[in-house]
Amino acid sequence: MEIILKQDVENLGFKDDVVTVKSGYGRNYLIPHGFAVLATTSAKKVLAETLKQRAFKEEKLIKDATKIADAIKSLEIKITAKTGDGSKLFGSINNGNVAESLATAGHEVDKKFIKVEGGNIKRLGKYNTTIRLHRSVIIELPIEIIAEAN
């Protein structure tokens, strides 16, 4: 079954992508929840016209995202956390903590666009995160988890 996504769906596609899914997934989940519409011939024509008109706006968005990416790449993110025995953390560090660190550095990035290597970090050390600023602008940002001074 071919559908047109109305918004980004994790592990499936981005807004306005035409994707093929199993009938049950499309009919019982995506379409009723408003994530997609059926890809009829007329819907595809409307989508093509919309994408053509949006191409110019898209270029500006990509340029802006690239500028932000260059600024973020130059950052050195260090997150302090309470530690127990050795290098083990009390709690964990996740994408929300990375988003807060970026916000304090002056770059607002929604936490759902940040992926932390391994999901949650539970030990001190250096880790990589992936930040998606635009569907075509994805950067790798190294972060370091350091012990909080007592």
Side-chain angles (χ1 to χ4, degrees):
M1 158 184 253
E2 270 196 334
I3 58 170
I4 300 171
L5 296 176
K6 292 169 73 177
Q7 55 185 283
D8 295 353
V9 177
E10 192 72 29
N11 297 326
L12 184 60
F14 297 104
K15 181 180 178 184
D16 294 331
D17 281 351
V18 177
V19 295
T20 303
V21 295
K22 291 190 176 184
S23 299
Y25 183 48
R27 207 174 27 250
N28 298 329
Y29 179 73
L30 295 173
I31 293 173
H33 285 95
F35 295 138
V37 294
L38 204 55
T40 60
T41 309
S42 62
K44 287 181 182 179
K45 287 179 184 176
V46 170
L47 174 65
E49 184 62 32
T50 306
L51 291 177
K52 191 166 69 171
Q53 291 175 359
R54 195 180 310 146
F56 297 110
K57 294 178 188 174
E58 214 43 44
E59 287 178 31
K60 184 183 181 326
L61 289 174
I62 291 172
K63 286 180 185 175
D64 292 345
T66 306
K67 286 179 186 175
I68 294 170
D70 291 338
I72 289 176
K73 280 182 188 175
S74 66
L75 292 177
E76 194 171 302
I77 301 292
K78 293 186 180 186
I79 300 174
T80 58
K82 291 184 179 181
T83 57
D85 295 333
S87 64
K88 199 170 187 180
L89 301 180
F90 286 125
S92 63
I93 302 295
N94 57 23
N95 58 348
N97 301 100
V98 176
E100 288 173 17
S101 297
L102 286 171
T104 56
H107 300 286
E108 292 290 329
V109 178
D110 194 349
K111 69 179 183 178
K112 70 181 178 183
F113 299 127
I114 300 172
K115 287 202 184 235
V116 176
E117 182 181 276
N120 289 330
I121 299 170
K122 297 186 183 216
R123 295 201 171 274
L124 297 176
K126 294 185 179 192
Y127 297 90
N128 285 323
T129 59
T130 305
I131 301 173
R132 180 171 59 91
L133 298 167
H134 186 270
R135 66 195 305 176
S136 62
V137 181
I138 300 171
I139 60 169
E140 290 279 325
L141 179 69
I143 60 170
E144 186 175 0
I145 311 301
I146 56 176
E148 192 175 81
N150 292 332

